[in-house]
Structure formats: C-alpha cells, structure tokens
Amino acid sequence: MQALIKLILLALTFFLVFINPSYIGKGLYYSMFPLLFLLVWLFYRITYYVSEKEVRKAVDEPFHYSLFCAMVPPLGEGDLQRGRLIIAEDEIILYRRDGSKPVKEAYRLAIADIEGFSIGKVLSVRSGVTFKAKGRGEAKFVVSRAHKKKEALTAALGWSRPPEGVGVGEEASQAPSFKDL
C-alpha cells in the first residue's frame, strides 16, 4: 500500500509541476491539490501513526496512559522514531510501526530508573519531554503541546507531585528572564 501511494504521489506531483493548467483546464488542475494533500496525510497515517487500539491488540501489558510522540535518537543515528509512548505499571515503552507486524517495541525504560523529566526544547524547533534516567543518560521525545501534558505525565508515572527534576528544559532555564531586562 505504501509503495502504491508513493507512486501515485510521485505521478501526481510530476503532473502538477510540469503540466500547464490551461492545457487541461484550471478547475481540474486545482482540484488535484486536495487529492495530493489527502494522499500525503494517508501516507503519514499508514507509515508512522500508531493508535492506542493497535497497541492494545498487539500487547497484553496493561497501561493507563499513552501519547503519540517521536523519540529523538542519539546524534548521527538516523531519523526520529515516531510511535506511541505508553506508561505501564512500572515502565515506559515506545511502540512504533513495523512492516511485518502492526507495532514493534522500540524503547523501554523502567519508571524506577527515572530521576525526573523536563518539558522544553528537545530539538532546535520542537518541544517535548526529556526523561533523565539513572545510568542511561537522557531519552528525548518530541510531543505536541508538551507543556499541557506535564500534570498527566506526573500522575501516570505514579508520582504524587513532580520531583525535583521536573521543570523546564535546559535551554529555557538558561534564557534571560523578563524581570532581568
């Protein structure tokens, strides 16, 4: 299915770029743009998106919180790993799409090893959550509207209140305050 969508996207893009709109009619030409956007959305959905329902089908492990995110790999190790981060009883697990199976485990971290987390920039232009783990460094996840999920993450981790390590990201903490100006 992905290969077919890629071929249709390529052909449609070629058609829209190199065919003169007055040759086929402006109405037909401009009506192909919504089709192009629909195919791009469908390709993204099939390739990257992991729903909570798919994770529940593939995994017997019960969980009480999940969110769609992308894990930032260590420098030089490739692209973002998009998937669904679930918080189970004693672990956080990232599941991503796999060609042969609906979902595949991509990352696992025990909640007991988490010293804290911060909300802030995880990439130069994207905000998210950074988990600080004992002996394993940091795990960074791009999450849309991460600042709104701070309380839900704290509760899902089983913490009554945010520990000392929860706060703003490193870049934000070093930024000058408006009070200092």
mmCIF file of all heavy atoms in Angstrom, residues 141-179:
data_model
loop_
_atom_site.group_PDB
_atom_site.id
_atom_site.type_symbol
_atom_site.label_atom_id
_atom_site.label_comp_id
_atom_site.label_asym_id
_atom_site.label_seq_id
_atom_site.Cartn_x
_atom_site.Cartn_y
_atom_site.Cartn_z
ATOM 1 N N PHE A 141 11.798 12.958 23.759
ATOM 2 C CA PHE A 141 10.631 12.663 22.950
ATOM 3 C C PHE A 141 9.986 13.959 22.488
ATOM 4 O O PHE A 141 9.713 14.835 23.308
ATOM 5 C CB PHE A 141 9.606 11.842 23.740
ATOM 6 C CG PHE A 141 10.107 10.496 24.149
ATOM 7 C CD1 PHE A 141 10.733 10.317 25.372
ATOM 8 C CD2 PHE A 141 9.960 9.398 23.315
ATOM 9 C CE1 PHE A 141 11.198 9.076 25.763
ATOM 10 C CE2 PHE A 141 10.429 8.157 23.689
ATOM 11 C CZ PHE A 141 11.049 7.993 24.912
ATOM 12 N N VAL A 142 9.750 14.080 21.192
ATOM 13 C CA VAL A 142 9.024 15.225 20.649
ATOM 14 C C VAL A 142 7.544 14.970 20.886
ATOM 15 O O VAL A 142 7.013 13.944 20.471
ATOM 16 C CB VAL A 142 9.297 15.389 19.135
ATOM 17 C CG1 VAL A 142 8.436 16.492 18.554
ATOM 18 C CG2 VAL A 142 10.765 15.645 18.878
ATOM 19 N N VAL A 143 6.891 15.898 21.592
ATOM 20 C CA VAL A 143 5.481 15.761 21.934
ATOM 21 C C VAL A 143 4.799 17.092 21.634
ATOM 22 O O VAL A 143 5.263 18.137 22.081
ATOM 23 C CB VAL A 143 5.299 15.408 23.435
ATOM 24 C CG1 VAL A 143 3.836 15.309 23.795
ATOM 25 C CG2 VAL A 143 6.023 14.127 23.786
ATOM 26 N N SER A 144 3.705 17.035 20.886
ATOM 27 C CA SER A 144 2.989 18.284 20.622
ATOM 28 C C SER A 144 2.281 18.745 21.890
ATOM 29 O O SER A 144 1.723 17.933 22.626
ATOM 30 C CB SER A 144 1.981 18.095 19.483
ATOM 31 O OG SER A 144 0.993 17.176 19.847
ATOM 32 N N ARG A 145 2.326 20.034 22.136
ATOM 33 C CA ARG A 145 1.733 20.652 23.331
ATOM 34 C C ARG A 145 2.195 19.956 24.614
ATOM 35 O O ARG A 145 1.393 19.593 25.482
ATOM 36 C CB ARG A 145 0.208 20.671 23.213
ATOM 37 C CG ARG A 145 -0.293 21.538 22.067
ATOM 38 C CD ARG A 145 -1.787 21.609 21.980
ATOM 39 N NE ARG A 145 -2.470 20.360 21.682
ATOM 40 C CZ ARG A 145 -2.596 19.815 20.477
ATOM 41 N NH1 ARG A 145 -2.075 20.422 19.440
ATOM 42 N NH2 ARG A 145 -3.242 18.690 20.310
ATOM 43 N N ALA A 146 3.485 19.745 24.709
ATOM 44 C CA ALA A 146 4.068 19.019 25.848
ATOM 45 C C ALA A 146 3.802 19.720 27.171
ATOM 46 O O ALA A 146 3.599 19.060 28.197
ATOM 47 C CB ALA A 146 5.565 18.848 25.638
ATOM 48 N N HIS A 147 3.800 21.044 27.187
ATOM 49 C CA HIS A 147 3.597 21.776 28.432
ATOM 50 C C HIS A 147 2.226 21.496 29.053
ATOM 51 O O HIS A 147 2.056 21.603 30.261
ATOM 52 C CB HIS A 147 3.793 23.282 28.206
ATOM 53 C CG HIS A 147 2.832 23.871 27.218
ATOM 54 N ND1 HIS A 147 2.985 23.721 25.856
ATOM 55 C CD2 HIS A 147 1.712 24.589 27.403
ATOM 56 C CE1 HIS A 147 1.986 24.329 25.239
ATOM 57 N NE2 HIS A 147 1.200 24.869 26.156
ATOM 58 N N LYS A 148 1.257 21.109 28.245
ATOM 59 C CA LYS A 148 -0.076 20.801 28.768
ATOM 60 C C LYS A 148 -0.154 19.387 29.333
ATOM 61 O O LYS A 148 -1.130 19.045 29.997
ATOM 62 C CB LYS A 148 -1.124 20.965 27.678
ATOM 63 C CG LYS A 148 -1.307 22.401 27.236
ATOM 64 C CD LYS A 148 -2.424 22.516 26.230
ATOM 65 C CE LYS A 148 -2.610 23.982 25.845
ATOM 66 N NZ LYS A 148 -3.713 24.142 24.904
ATOM 67 N N LYS A 149 0.849 18.566 29.062
ATOM 68 C CA LYS A 149 0.815 17.167 29.486
ATOM 69 C C LYS A 149 1.664 16.893 30.723
ATOM 70 O O LYS A 149 1.804 15.749 31.134
ATOM 71 C CB LYS A 149 1.264 16.288 28.332
ATOM 72 C CG LYS A 149 0.312 16.389 27.157
ATOM 73 C CD LYS A 149 0.747 15.569 25.992
ATOM 74 C CE LYS A 149 -0.355 15.569 24.965
ATOM 75 N NZ LYS A 149 -0.117 16.186 23.768
ATOM 76 N N LYS A 150 2.206 17.927 31.330
ATOM 77 C CA LYS A 150 3.093 17.761 32.484
ATOM 78 C C LYS A 150 2.389 17.095 33.664
ATOM 79 O O LYS A 150 2.900 16.138 34.241
ATOM 80 C CB LYS A 150 3.648 19.125 32.897
ATOM 81 C CG LYS A 150 4.635 19.085 34.011
ATOM 82 C CD LYS A 150 5.173 20.483 34.277
ATOM 83 C CE LYS A 150 6.157 20.505 35.385
ATOM 84 N NZ LYS A 150 6.693 21.841 35.609
ATOM 85 N N GLU A 151 1.215 17.583 34.012
ATOM 86 C CA GLU A 151 0.486 17.011 35.154
ATOM 87 C C GLU A 151 0.027 15.581 34.866
ATOM 88 O O GLU A 151 0.090 14.716 35.743
ATOM 89 C CB GLU A 151 -0.722 17.888 35.494
ATOM 90 C CG GLU A 151 -0.328 19.222 36.083
ATOM 91 C CD GLU A 151 -1.534 20.118 36.342
ATOM 92 O OE1 GLU A 151 -2.663 19.580 36.421
ATOM 93 O OE2 GLU A 151 -1.340 21.327 36.451
ATOM 94 N N ALA A 152 -0.422 15.329 33.649
ATOM 95 C CA ALA A 152 -0.866 13.979 33.287
ATOM 96 C C ALA A 152 0.307 12.996 33.315
ATOM 97 O O ALA A 152 0.164 11.860 33.778
ATOM 98 C CB ALA A 152 -1.507 13.987 31.911
ATOM 99 N N LEU A 153 1.471 13.422 32.848
ATOM 100 C CA LEU A 153 2.666 12.566 32.899
ATOM 101 C C LEU A 153 3.073 12.283 34.338
ATOM 102 O O LEU A 153 3.426 11.151 34.685
ATOM 103 C CB LEU A 153 3.834 13.223 32.157
ATOM 104 C CG LEU A 153 3.891 13.025 30.658
ATOM 105 C CD1 LEU A 153 4.960 13.915 30.045
ATOM 106 C CD2 LEU A 153 4.148 11.581 30.313
ATOM 107 N N THR A 154 3.022 13.288 35.178
ATOM 108 C CA THR A 154 3.372 13.117 36.589
ATOM 109 C C THR A 154 2.441 12.101 37.250
ATOM 110 O O THR A 154 2.896 11.201 37.952
ATOM 111 C CB THR A 154 3.296 14.468 37.326
ATOM 112 O OG1 THR A 154 4.163 15.401 36.680
ATOM 113 C CG2 THR A 154 3.711 14.334 38.776
ATOM 114 N N ALA A 155 1.157 12.225 37.009
ATOM 115 C CA ALA A 155 0.191 11.288 37.584
ATOM 116 C C ALA A 155 0.364 9.887 37.009
ATOM 117 O O ALA A 155 0.272 8.894 37.731
ATOM 118 C CB ALA A 155 -1.221 11.789 37.343
ATOM 119 N N ALA A 156 0.624 9.785 35.700
ATOM 120 C CA ALA A 156 0.785 8.477 35.059
ATOM 121 C C ALA A 156 2.030 7.744 35.555
ATOM 122 O O ALA A 156 2.045 6.516 35.634
ATOM 123 C CB ALA A 156 0.847 8.637 33.553
ATOM 124 N N LEU A 157 3.054 8.494 35.915
ATOM 125 C CA LEU A 157 4.271 7.878 36.444
ATOM 126 C C LEU A 157 4.085 7.422 37.893
ATOM 127 O O LEU A 157 4.958 6.774 38.458
ATOM 128 C CB LEU A 157 5.453 8.837 36.342
ATOM 129 C CG LEU A 157 5.948 9.102 34.918
ATOM 130 C CD1 LEU A 157 6.942 10.257 34.908
ATOM 131 C CD2 LEU A 157 6.561 7.864 34.316
ATOM 132 N N GLY A 158 2.976 7.801 38.495
ATOM 133 C CA GLY A 158 2.691 7.387 39.862
ATOM 134 C C GLY A 158 3.289 8.300 40.908
ATOM 135 O O GLY A 158 3.404 7.935 42.075
ATOM 136 N N TRP A 159 3.658 9.493 40.515
ATOM 137 C CA TRP A 159 4.229 10.460 41.444
ATOM 138 C C TRP A 159 3.108 11.357 41.943
ATOM 139 O O TRP A 159 2.277 11.834 41.174
ATOM 140 C CB TRP A 159 5.304 11.295 40.777
ATOM 141 C CG TRP A 159 6.466 10.482 40.271
ATOM 142 C CD1 TRP A 159 6.829 9.239 40.666
ATOM 143 C CD2 TRP A 159 7.385 10.864 39.251
ATOM 144 N NE1 TRP A 159 7.929 8.818 39.977
ATOM 145 C CE2 TRP A 159 8.300 9.806 39.097
ATOM 146 C CE3 TRP A 159 7.557 11.988 38.463
ATOM 147 C CZ2 TRP A 159 9.354 9.836 38.195
ATOM 148 C CZ3 TRP A 159 8.600 12.024 37.564
ATOM 149 C CH2 TRP A 159 9.494 10.963 37.437
ATOM 150 N N SER A 160 3.085 11.632 43.243
ATOM 151 C CA SER A 160 2.040 12.491 43.788
ATOM 152 C C SER A 160 2.276 13.952 43.407
ATOM 153 O O SER A 160 1.350 14.725 43.237
ATOM 154 C CB SER A 160 1.975 12.353 45.304
ATOM 155 O OG SER A 160 3.223 12.671 45.877
ATOM 156 N N ARG A 161 3.525 14.322 43.300
ATOM 157 C CA ARG A 161 3.861 15.669 42.833
ATOM 158 C C ARG A 161 5.140 15.561 42.029
ATOM 159 O O ARG A 161 5.899 14.596 42.175
ATOM 160 C CB ARG A 161 4.035 16.641 43.999
ATOM 161 C CG ARG A 161 5.181 16.303 44.923
ATOM 162 C CD ARG A 161 5.282 17.333 46.056
ATOM 163 N NE ARG A 161 6.367 17.005 46.936
ATOM 164 C CZ ARG A 161 7.645 17.297 46.711
ATOM 165 N NH1 ARG A 161 7.988 17.938 45.634
ATOM 166 N NH2 ARG A 161 8.587 16.948 47.558
ATOM 167 N N PRO A 162 5.414 16.516 41.188
ATOM 168 C CA PRO A 162 6.627 16.449 40.385
ATOM 169 C C PRO A 162 7.875 16.431 41.268
ATOM 170 O O PRO A 162 7.966 17.211 42.218
ATOM 171 C CB PRO A 162 6.585 17.731 39.553
ATOM 172 C CG PRO A 162 5.166 18.145 39.559
ATOM 173 C CD PRO A 162 4.603 17.673 40.861
ATOM 174 N N PRO A 163 8.835 15.547 40.987
ATOM 175 C CA PRO A 163 10.066 15.549 41.758
ATOM 176 C C PRO A 163 10.924 16.744 41.398
ATOM 177 O O PRO A 163 10.587 17.524 40.520
ATOM 178 C CB PRO A 163 10.744 14.236 41.358
ATOM 179 C CG PRO A 163 10.204 13.936 40.020
ATOM 180 C CD PRO A 163 8.815 14.484 39.999
ATOM 181 N N GLU A 164 12.051 16.866 42.054
ATOM 182 C CA GLU A 164 12.946 18.000 41.846
ATOM 183 C C GLU A 164 13.351 18.151 40.383
ATOM 184 O O GLU A 164 13.554 19.239 39.902
ATOM 185 C CB GLU A 164 14.197 17.831 42.712
ATOM 186 C CG GLU A 164 13.909 17.696 44.195
ATOM 187 C CD GLU A 164 13.601 19.009 44.841
ATOM 188 O OE1 GLU A 164 14.172 20.024 44.433
ATOM 189 O OE2 GLU A 164 12.764 19.029 45.753
ATOM 190 N N GLY A 165 13.483 17.036 39.663
ATOM 191 C CA GLY A 165 13.983 17.067 38.292
ATOM 192 C C GLY A 165 12.981 17.538 37.262
ATOM 193 O O GLY A 165 13.315 17.696 36.111
ATOM 194 N N VAL A 166 11.738 17.751 37.652
ATOM 195 C CA VAL A 166 10.730 18.171 36.689
ATOM 196 C C VAL A 166 10.765 19.683 36.590
ATOM 197 O O VAL A 166 10.744 20.384 37.578
ATOM 198 C CB VAL A 166 9.323 17.696 37.117
ATOM 199 C CG1 VAL A 166 8.286 18.196 36.140
ATOM 200 C CG2 VAL A 166 9.289 16.201 37.200
ATOM 201 N N GLY A 167 10.831 20.174 35.389
ATOM 202 C CA GLY A 167 10.860 21.615 35.202
ATOM 203 C C GLY A 167 10.936 21.959 33.742
ATOM 204 O O GLY A 167 10.510 21.189 32.896
ATOM 205 N N VAL A 168 11.508 23.082 33.457
ATOM 206 C CA VAL A 168 11.664 23.490 32.074
ATOM 207 C C VAL A 168 12.952 22.895 31.527
ATOM 208 O O VAL A 168 13.829 22.484 32.268
ATOM 209 C CB VAL A 168 11.690 25.033 31.941
ATOM 210 C CG1 VAL A 168 10.376 25.615 32.376
ATOM 211 C CG2 VAL A 168 12.822 25.632 32.727
ATOM 212 N N GLY A 169 13.073 22.857 30.219
ATOM 213 C CA GLY A 169 14.254 22.306 29.575
ATOM 214 C C GLY A 169 15.487 23.135 29.834
ATOM 215 O O GLY A 169 15.444 24.265 30.336
ATOM 216 N N GLU A 170 16.626 22.587 29.460
ATOM 217 C CA GLU A 170 17.909 23.223 29.724
ATOM 218 C C GLU A 170 18.043 24.567 29.027
ATOM 219 O O GLU A 170 18.502 25.541 29.606
ATOM 220 C CB GLU A 170 19.031 22.280 29.261
ATOM 221 C CG GLU A 170 20.396 22.697 29.728
ATOM 222 C CD GLU A 170 21.428 21.645 29.374
ATOM 223 O OE1 GLU A 170 21.187 20.470 29.656
ATOM 224 O OE2 GLU A 170 22.463 22.030 28.819
ATOM 225 N N GLU A 171 17.612 24.650 27.753
ATOM 226 C CA GLU A 171 17.708 25.905 27.007
ATOM 227 C C GLU A 171 16.851 26.985 27.648
ATOM 228 O O GLU A 171 17.261 28.131 27.771
ATOM 229 C CB GLU A 171 17.256 25.702 25.566
ATOM 230 C CG GLU A 171 18.221 24.916 24.721
ATOM 231 C CD GLU A 171 17.697 24.762 23.301
ATOM 232 O OE1 GLU A 171 16.971 25.656 22.830
ATOM 233 O OE2 GLU A 171 18.028 23.757 22.672
ATOM 234 N N ALA A 172 15.646 26.614 28.065
ATOM 235 C CA ALA A 172 14.731 27.594 28.645
ATOM 236 C C ALA A 172 15.216 28.076 30.005
ATOM 237 O O ALA A 172 15.033 29.239 30.364
ATOM 238 C CB ALA A 172 13.333 27.002 28.769
ATOM 239 N N SER A 173 15.861 27.211 30.771
ATOM 240 C CA SER A 173 16.317 27.617 32.091
ATOM 241 C C SER A 173 17.492 28.591 32.015
ATOM 242 O O SER A 173 17.730 29.355 32.941
ATOM 243 C CB SER A 173 16.702 26.397 32.922
ATOM 244 O OG SER A 173 17.827 25.765 32.367
ATOM 245 N N GLN A 174 18.218 28.575 30.907
ATOM 246 C CA GLN A 174 19.363 29.468 30.761
ATOM 247 C C GLN A 174 19.014 30.774 30.065
ATOM 248 O O GLN A 174 19.832 31.674 29.967
ATOM 249 C CB GLN A 174 20.467 28.759 29.974
ATOM 250 C CG GLN A 174 21.036 27.573 30.708
ATOM 251 C CD GLN A 174 22.012 26.791 29.852
ATOM 252 O OE1 GLN A 174 22.240 27.119 28.712
ATOM 253 N NE2 GLN A 174 22.594 25.760 30.429
ATOM 254 N N ALA A 175 17.788 30.891 29.596
ATOM 255 C CA ALA A 175 17.356 32.092 28.897
ATOM 256 C C ALA A 175 17.179 33.234 29.901
ATOM 257 O O ALA A 175 16.819 33.007 31.054
ATOM 258 C CB ALA A 175 16.042 31.837 28.164
ATOM 259 N N PRO A 176 17.422 34.478 29.463
ATOM 260 C CA PRO A 176 17.234 35.606 30.384
ATOM 261 C C PRO A 176 15.755 35.796 30.716
ATOM 262 O O PRO A 176 14.882 35.549 29.891
ATOM 263 C CB PRO A 176 17.774 36.804 29.609
ATOM 264 C CG PRO A 176 17.737 36.391 28.186
ATOM 265 C CD PRO A 176 17.897 34.897 28.163
ATOM 266 N N SER A 177 15.489 36.235 31.915
ATOM 267 C CA SER A 177 14.121 36.463 32.360
ATOM 268 C C SER A 177 13.695 37.869 31.983
ATOM 269 O O SER A 177 14.498 38.784 31.838
ATOM 270 C CB SER A 177 14.057 36.311 33.880
ATOM 271 O OG SER A 177 12.804 36.688 34.351
ATOM 272 N N PHE A 178 12.380 38.064 31.841
ATOM 273 C CA PHE A 178 11.863 39.390 31.550
ATOM 274 C C PHE A 178 12.050 40.315 32.751
ATOM 275 O O PHE A 178 12.134 41.519 32.611
ATOM 276 C CB PHE A 178 10.382 39.326 31.186
ATOM 277 C CG PHE A 178 10.140 38.804 29.799
ATOM 278 C CD1 PHE A 178 9.529 37.578 29.603
ATOM 279 C CD2 PHE A 178 10.538 39.525 28.700
ATOM 280 C CE1 PHE A 178 9.302 37.100 28.350
ATOM 281 C CE2 PHE A 178 10.331 39.057 27.427
ATOM 282 C CZ PHE A 178 9.714 37.843 27.241
ATOM 283 N N LYS A 179 12.120 39.747 33.932
ATOM 284 C CA LYS A 179 12.323 40.548 35.135
ATOM 285 C C LYS A 179 13.719 41.162 35.144
ATOM 286 O O LYS A 179 13.914 42.198 35.742
ATOM 287 C CB LYS A 179 12.146 39.682 36.376
ATOM 288 C CG LYS A 179 10.741 39.173 36.560
ATOM 289 C CD LYS A 179 10.641 38.280 37.750
ATOM 290 C CE LYS A 179 9.270 37.682 37.889
ATOM 291 N NZ LYS A 179 9.191 36.726 38.988
#
